[in-house]
Amino acid sequence: MHRHLQLTEQGKLKHFLTIDGLSRELLTEILDTAESFADMSGKQVKKVPLLRGKTIINLFFENSTRTRTTFELAATRLSADVLTMNIATSSTSKGESLLDTIRNLEAMHVDMFVVRHALSGAAHFIAQHVAPHISVINAGDGQHSHPTQAMLDMFTIRQHKKQFAGLKIAIVGDILHSRVARSQILALNTLGVAEVRVIAPKTLLPTQVRSMGVIDLQDMAEGLQDVDVIIMLRLQKERMNSAFLPSESEYFRCFGLTEAKLKYAKPDVVVMHPGPINRGVEIASSVADGPHSVILQQVSNGIAVRMAVMSMTFPAHGTTTA
Amino acid sequence: MHRHLQLTEQGKLKHFLTIDGLSRELLTEILDTAESFADMSGKQVKKVPLLRGKTIINLFFENSTRTRTTFELAATRLSADVLTMNIATSSTSKGESLLDTIRNLEAMHVDMFVVRHALSGAAHFIAQHVAPHISVINAGDGQHSHPTQAMLDMFTIRQHKKQFAGLKIAIVGDILHSRVARSQILALNTLGVAEVRVIAPKTLLPTQVRSMGVIDLQDMAEGLQDVDVIIMLRLQKERMNSAFLPSESEYFRCFGLTEAKLKYAKPDVVVMHPGPINRGVEIASSVADGPHSVILQQVSNGIAVRMAVMSMTFPAHGTTTA
Amino acid sequence: MHRHLQLTEQGKLKHFLTIDGLSRELLTEILDTAESFADMSGKQVKKVPLLRGKTIINLFFENSTRTRTTFELAATRLSADVLTMNIATSSTSKGESLLDTIRNLEAMHVDMFVVRHALSGAAHFIAQHVAPHISVINAGDGQHSHPTQAMLDMFTIRQHKKQFAGLKIAIVGDILHSRVARSQILALNTLGVAEVRVIAPKTLLPTQVRSMGVIDLQDMAEGLQDVDVIIMLRLQKERMNSAFLPSESEYFRCFGLTEAKLKYAKPDVVVMHPGPINRGVEIASSVADGPHSVILQQVSNGIAVRMAVMSMTFPAHGTTTA
């Protein structure tokens, strides 16, 4: 179903909603396109006229400074006109339905929606109902999917490891609630890594986690053994006061990434985190700022990957690309 | 008085504050100019360099996502630099007067103010006091006027009915508090329609309504008889808890536009609404989404009309137009 | 220390954090550069492509409509892409440290930070830790420094008095808490005026004020005698309820600038105020709006001076200037 929704009849990207159903070829095309934009970022003039005269609306029903900022910068560097709407303060508070809001923005000749929403499936819903010439990019929907985050992580892994075949990857933390982990697991398996492990306390693992094609472990010593990449997840502090977790210090002792635990992994392991990091909760400062960390490169790559996805969804309705 | 304020000595538009005092020729010029911008909206590159290097400030003392967004898009598509100020959160909260705020923005070499304010006359006040090279556009002032909304409605009517002569138009709802209705009535009469009817419960009709050149009715069956256009007004829910109205369902039963009531009108009637709509309060969903509805075309036309008014007020101080 | 931080090895401006340590030649270069931009402001197209493709982030940890707006307009008129972040509502509320926020924005290939913060030294701290290719401009830090405000004041003084030598300047008001006064005193002394006087009640004077190279006085008749320029400071109303001051009317009687007190100064005195003004508290309306006032020219000059500083800090990392 997703396949049909987010691809054109020619198999090109029309929307970018989820990693689910996308082929290894398409994911690789995204990474290759992002590479050309990554080269550009260090240049004196960081702009290309690819989307000049296009209107992109950032529809943020859920606040996120980092994601919003990178999407804004990506759109601006493609020369698009971008308008950010914080929907909590908009007409929906006058009782207008989501669909009416979308219909109205469509009527303003908008070309693309970047959607962030606390409800799983929100971006899909909009993509299902939007006019045929409009692209929808999912910037995070509930606990379901965060595909641009997953792709910037894949980009960063390829940057350091050159290829996916043979890699062992560990994802550590709150797998249960993480849209990031869900998208990462799908992308890593599609791109053909050797092994994806998830490491978390039992209360933070989905019950059917093995059906996702991962190995689940509850011990860092075992889980990090010989891995090439460690992806730490952000611990939502609001889970802390719930039944899911003991104290912060207890969590850090068992699952926090320290220099000592890093020794279980391969000597050239890279450490990743979607940010913002909780120092001393899921990761020690010495690791976050240490030689294995590629956390800030992930942020840089985020702009290149978002530029790639934004420009790739456009040819579907008749614009030329780079 | 308005005539002198908003026109140059040559009778050209300098500010756009109210429909009051504008000639049929000038309103027609606005519609004709908007038509060239409407053609542009479907294009791949939706930008013209008409206002490049100009600075437009959106002064919103009253929140309105839809109006603010269309003005921002209109300014951006004319290549102007646009800066939106939500004045509730600005220096006025430090006790600075409106006039001091305006003087300061003037000093920043601003070229145009788009003003939305809860007080009637706010845009006029600013136009009276602003430096001679600055244009002021009224984006809604209290219960007084909303001239760009009225003109986008006129544009939509002309689009469907080709000419105004001979048309019978019904405006339904809260006429008493509606700046939109006030501006529409002035525009329709200036453009020479055959008949403007207002349909509302007595409590929502101004006492001297007939002096505005309309026929007032309190019955939908009679009021919609043979009309070419029905303009529904938004019901402000805050009126509901007042003495003005009974219940929502009672209002809908009497004045809500349903498919049944639509049958009183001409077979090719068009249904309009300034949005956002209250489904099931002033209009049935089947009508809002039905074949007679042109509600979303109104939104599209709003951008073209605002581009027209913005570009027309500029030649007054020496810029060339399209 | 500041000298080394804000200048390149060739003595060019790299950051703009404080007036402290800058030479008369450099301050004069800023004023000369601003002059070319001031000429531009009246033009039909108020844009130059100097910073095209550059990304400037306005980091406002403290709200200020006026300063934020002038920095946004300055950046826009230099053709930069500018993104304003109100940090109170950003990731720092998720517990991310200031340094992590900066590191993340750096990774997005930002070229310049404009920083406003309630803590003294915030901009210095960021400049000390930022990547070498990024410029930092201080838009006000605590009670420490507001160097662009001081330079726009210098620009305005030079505009009216042609040279600084021989001038007698009085600064009136809350010297103790004013970052503006601190920066003005440094700039005036560097530029070689004859005499800087500060006039304030004892409770609003720093104890070591004479070490700043000023004459302190508590009487307007004596203090304004024969001055060429009067700089009024804004009275922070929140000081009123403290032990610092008696009532507003008592303050106005003693230190408010009236037409009567203006007579003590030279006949061609100019009156300045950083705004927003409190009419009838520190200044009478007749003086603020009178022939000696250059308050609104200060606002205009603020954009030119900010464009100058922004463009001057760029060549340090390889861009050409006008």
Side-chain angles (χ1 to χ4, degrees):
Chain A
M1 178 200 71
H2 295 329
R3 167 182 287 280
H4 298 304
L5 186 54
Q6 64 184 345
L7 296 183
T8 64
E9 284 182 23
Q10 293 76 35
K12 294 285 177 191
L13 210 56
K14 170 160 179 42
H15 306 293
F16 191 53
L17 307 172
T18 173
I19 303 296
D20 196 12
L22 297 185
S23 67
R24 187 185 298 192
E25 289 65 37
L26 193 66
L27 297 192
T28 304
E29 190 189 339
I30 293 174
L31 299 179
D32 292 346
T33 307
E35 213 156 88
S36 66
F37 292 120
D39 293 343
M40 207 187 74
S41 289
K43 294 248 175 74
Q44 286 297 333
V45 172
K46 288 183 290 286
K47 275 179 107 93
V48 287
L50 273 179
L51 302 191
R52 205 177 70 80
K54 302 295 184 192
T55 305
I56 298 179
I57 304 272
N58 273 350
L59 274 178
F60 274 58
F61 298 86
E62 192 185 57
N63 196 34
S64 166
T65 305
R66 182 179 314 227
T67 303
R68 181 179 58 71
T69 305
T70 51
F71 270 108
E72 273 188 41
L73 289 177
T76 301
R77 288 173 186 172
L78 290 166
S79 304
D81 295 320
V82 58
L83 204 145
T84 293
M85 297 182 71
N86 184 344
I87 297 292
T89 65
S90 93
S91 281
T92 48
S93 59
K94 285 195 195 171
E96 191 180 54
S97 76
L98 174 57
L99 213 52
D100 279 336
T101 299
I102 296 298
R103 289 275 171 271
N104 273 282
L105 290 169
E106 266 179 26
M108 296 176 198
H109 298 288
V110 163
D111 299 288
M112 181 183 282
F113 292 116
V114 175
V115 180
R116 174 113 170 179
H117 204 294
L119 285 179
S120 299
H124 285 78
F125 175 82
I126 293 173
Q128 273 161 347
H129 291 89
V130 92
H133 67 280
I134 296 180
S135 299
V136 178
I137 293 180
N138 186 358
D141 64 321
Q143 296 170 12
H144 173 251
S145 180
H146 194 352
T148 60
Q149 175 70 45
M151 288 312 292
L152 73 89
D153 296 330
M154 299 307 112
F155 187 90
T156 309
I157 292 170
R158 193 174 80 163
Q159 208 173 29
H160 287 273
K161 301 297 173 189
K162 307 307 170 202
Q163 53 178 26
F164 293 96
L167 294 184
K168 291 181 187 164
I169 318 267
I171 306 176
V172 184
D174 181 0
I175 311 293
L176 180 60
H177 302 96
S178 174
R179 56 193 174 198
V180 172
R182 218 167 301 273
S183 293
Q184 286 164 339
I185 293 167
L186 283 163
L188 288 166
N189 281 327
T190 304
L191 288 165
V193 300
E195 205 175 290
V196 182
R197 305 177 193 168
V198 297
I199 312 174
K202 257 191 185 160
T203 50
L204 295 180
L205 277 176
T207 48
Q208 305 277 329
V209 67
R210 285 178 200 181
S211 68
M212 298 171 74
V214 300
I215 298 165
D216 59 309
L217 297 143
Q218 288 156 54
D219 178 73
M220 289 286 267
E222 191 185 352
L224 298 185
Q225 199 64 47
D226 286 327
V227 296
D228 299 280
V229 176
I230 305 171
I231 302 178
M232 301 303 297
L233 299 177
R234 176 177 170 78
L235 193 69
Q236 307 293 331
K237 299 227 175 180
E238 52 270 32
R239 309 276 180 231
M240 274 301 171
N241 301 322
S242 73
F244 291 109
L245 283 175
S247 67
E248 276 190 21
S249 61
E250 177 69 6
Y251 182 85
F252 184 66
R253 198 181 61 76
C254 296
F255 297 97
L257 190 61
T258 58
E259 290 184 87
K261 290 187 198 129
L262 206 53
K263 297 212 168 75
Y264 298 122
K266 287 214 182 123
D268 64 345
V269 67
V270 298
V271 173
M272 297 170 62
H273 189 295
I277 59 176
N278 295 308
R279 293 170 180 274
V281 180
E282 71 257 2
I283 192 165
S285 272
S286 61
V287 176
D289 304 332
H292 295 278
S293 169
V294 297
I295 295 175
L296 293 172
Q297 290 167 48
Q298 290 173 272
V299 177
S300 299
N301 295 337
I303 294 181
V305 164
R306 279 152 190 151
M307 289 174 79
V309 171
M310 283 176 159
S311 64
M312 284 173 68
T313 54
F314 264 103
H317 32 92
T319 313
T320 55
T321 49
Chain B
M1 180 198 71
H2 294 330
R3 167 184 286 281
H4 298 303
L5 187 56
Q6 64 183 344
L7 296 183
T8 65
E9 283 181 24
Q10 293 76 36
K12 293 286 176 189
L13 209 56
K14 171 160 181 43
H15 305 294
F16 192 52
L17 308 172
T18 174
I19 303 296
D20 196 12
L22 298 185
S23 67
R24 187 185 297 191
E25 289 65 37
L26 194 67
L27 297 191
T28 304
E29 190 188 339
I30 294 173
L31 299 179
D32 292 346
T33 307
E35 213 156 270
S36 66
F37 292 120
D39 292 343
M40 208 186 74
S41 289
K43 294 248 174 72
Q44 286 297 333
V45 173
K46 287 182 289 287
K47 275 179 107 91
V48 286
L50 272 180
L51 302 191
R52 204 176 71 80
K54 303 295 183 192
T55 305
I56 299 179
I57 305 272
N58 273 349
L59 275 178
F60 274 58
F61 297 85
E62 192 186 57
N63 197 34
S64 165
T65 305
R66 182 180 311 226
T67 302
R68 181 178 58 71
T69 304
T70 51
F71 270 108
E72 273 188 41
L73 290 177
T76 301
R77 289 173 186 172
L78 290 166
S79 304
D81 295 321
V82 59
L83 204 146
T84 293
M85 298 180 72
N86 183 344
I87 296 292
T89 66
S90 94
S91 281
T92 49
S93 58
K94 284 194 194 173
E96 192 180 53
S97 75
L98 174 57
L99 212 51
D100 279 336
T101 299
I102 296 298
R103 290 276 169 268
N104 272 282
L105 291 168
E106 265 179 26
M108 295 176 198
H109 298 288
V110 163
D111 298 289
M112 181 183 281
F113 292 116
V114 175
V115 180
R116 174 112 168 178
H117 204 293
L119 285 179
S120 298
H124 285 77
F125 175 82
I126 293 173
Q128 273 161 347
H129 290 88
V130 92
H133 66 282
I134 298 179
S135 298
V136 178
I137 294 180
N138 186 359
D141 63 322
Q143 294 171 14
H144 173 251
S145 179
H146 196 351
T148 60
Q149 175 70 45
M151 288 313 293
L152 75 88
D153 296 329
M154 298 307 112
F155 187 91
T156 309
I157 291 171
R158 194 174 79 162
Q159 209 172 28
H160 287 274
K161 301 296 172 191
K162 305 308 172 204
Q163 53 178 26
F164 293 95
L167 293 184
K168 290 181 188 165
I169 317 267
I171 307 175
V172 184
D174 182 359
I175 309 293
L176 180 61
H177 302 96
S178 174
R179 56 192 174 200
V180 173
R182 218 168 301 273
S183 293
Q184 286 165 338
I185 293 167
L186 282 163
L188 289 166
N189 282 326
T190 303
L191 288 164
V193 299
E195 204 175 292
V196 183
R197 304 178 194 166
V198 296
I199 311 174
K202 257 193 185 158
T203 50
L204 295 180
L205 276 177
T207 46
Q208 305 276 330
V209 67
R210 285 178 200 180
S211 69
M212 298 172 74
V214 299
I215 298 165
D216 58 309
L217 297 144
Q218 288 156 54
D219 180 73
M220 290 286 268
E222 190 185 353
L224 298 184
Q225 199 65 48
D226 286 327
V227 296
D228 300 279
V229 177
I230 304 172
I231 302 177
M232 300 305 295
L233 299 176
R234 177 177 170 77
L235 193 70
Q236 307 293 330
K237 299 228 176 180
E238 51 272 32
R239 311 275 180 233
M240 273 302 173
N241 300 323
S242 72
F244 291 109
L245 283 174
S247 68
E248 277 191 19
S249 62
E250 177 68 7
Y251 182 85
F252 184 66
R253 198 182 59 76
C254 296
F255 296 97
L257 190 62
T258 57
E259 290 184 86
K261 290 186 197 130
L262 207 53
K263 296 211 167 75
Y264 300 121
K266 288 215 182 119
D268 64 346
V269 67
V270 299
V271 173
M272 298 168 63
H273 189 295
I277 59 176
N278 295 307
R279 292 169 180 276
V281 180
E282 70 257 2
I283 191 163
S285 272
S286 61
V287 176
D289 304 331
H292 295 278
S293 169
V294 296
I295 296 175
L296 292 172
Q297 291 166 48
Q298 290 174 270
V299 177
S300 299
N301 294 337
I303 294 182
V305 163
R306 278 151 191 152
M307 289 174 79
V309 171
M310 283 177 159
S311 64
M312 283 174 67
T313 55
F314 264 103
H317 34 91
T319 313
T320 54
T321 50
Chain C
M1 178 199 72
H2 295 330
R3 167 183 286 281
H4 299 304
L5 187 55
Q6 65 184 344
L7 296 183
T8 65
E9 285 182 23
Q10 292 77 36
K12 294 284 176 192
L13 209 56
K14 172 162 179 40
H15 305 295
F16 192 53
L17 307 173
T18 173
I19 303 295
D20 196 12
L22 297 185
S23 66
R24 187 184 298 190
E25 289 65 38
L26 193 67
L27 298 192
T28 305
E29 191 188 338
I30 294 173
L31 298 179
D32 292 346
T33 308
E35 214 157 271
S36 66
F37 292 120
D39 292 343
M40 208 186 74
S41 290
K43 295 247 175 73
Q44 287 297 333
V45 172
K46 285 182 292 287
K47 275 179 107 93
V48 286
L50 273 179
L51 303 190
R52 203 177 71 80
K54 303 294 183 190
T55 305
I56 298 180
I57 305 272
N58 273 349
L59 275 178
F60 274 58
F61 298 85
E62 192 186 56
N63 195 34
S64 166
T65 306
R66 182 179 313 227
T67 302
R68 182 180 58 70
T69 305
T70 51
F71 270 108
E72 274 188 40
L73 289 177
T76 302
R77 289 173 186 172
L78 290 166
S79 304
D81 295 322
V82 59
L83 204 145
T84 293
M85 298 181 69
N86 184 344
I87 296 293
T89 65
S90 93
S91 282
T92 48
S93 60
K94 284 195 195 171
E96 192 180 54
S97 76
L98 174 56
L99 212 51
D100 279 337
T101 300
I102 295 297
R103 289 276 170 270
N104 273 282
L105 291 169
E106 265 178 28
M108 295 175 199
H109 298 288
V110 163
D111 298 288
M112 182 183 280
F113 291 116
V114 175
V115 180
R116 174 111 168 180
H117 204 292
L119 285 180
S120 299
H124 285 78
F125 175 82
I126 293 173
Q128 273 162 347
H129 291 89
V130 92
H133 67 280
I134 297 179
S135 298
V136 179
I137 293 181
N138 186 358
D141 64 321
Q143 295 171 13
H144 173 250
S145 181
H146 196 352
T148 59
Q149 175 70 45
M151 288 313 293
L152 74 87
D153 295 329
M154 298 307 111
F155 188 90
T156 309
I157 291 172
R158 194 174 80 163
Q159 209 173 27
H160 287 274
K161 301 296 172 187
K162 306 308 171 201
Q163 53 178 26
F164 293 96
L167 293 184
K168 290 181 188 165
I169 318 268
I171 306 175
V172 184
D174 182 359
I175 310 295
L176 181 60
H177 301 96
S178 174
R179 55 191 176 202
V180 173
R182 220 168 299 274
S183 293
Q184 286 165 338
I185 292 168
L186 282 163
L188 289 166
N189 281 326
T190 303
L191 288 165
V193 299
E195 205 176 289
V196 182
R197 304 178 193 165
V198 296
I199 312 174
K202 255 190 186 160
T203 50
L204 295 180
L205 277 176
T207 47
Q208 304 277 330
V209 67
R210 286 179 199 181
S211 68
M212 298 171 75
V214 300
I215 297 165
D216 59 309
L217 296 144
Q218 288 156 53
D219 179 74
M220 290 286 269
E222 192 185 351
L224 297 185
Q225 199 65 48
D226 286 327
V227 296
D228 300 279
V229 177
I230 304 171
I231 301 177
M232 301 305 295
L233 298 176
R234 176 177 170 78
L235 193 69
Q236 307 293 330
K237 301 227 177 182
E238 50 272 32
R239 310 276 180 230
M240 274 301 173
N241 301 323
S242 73
F244 290 109
L245 283 174
S247 67
E248 276 191 19
S249 61
E250 177 67 7
Y251 182 85
F252 185 65
R253 198 182 60 76
C254 296
F255 296 96
L257 190 60
T258 57
E259 291 185 85
K261 291 187 197 128
L262 206 55
K263 295 211 169 74
Y264 298 122
K266 286 215 182 119
D268 63 346
V269 67
V270 299
V271 173
M272 298 169 61
H273 189 297
I277 59 176
N278 295 307
R279 292 168 180 274
V281 181
E282 70 258 1
I283 192 163
S285 272
S286 61
V287 176
D289 303 332
H292 295 278
S293 169
V294 297
I295 295 174
L296 292 171
Q297 291 168 47
Q298 289 173 271
V299 177
S300 299
N301 294 337
I303 295 182
V305 162
R306 278 151 191 152
M307 289 174 80
V309 171
M310 284 176 158
S311 64
M312 284 173 68
T313 55
F314 264 104
H317 34 91
T319 313
T320 53
T321 49

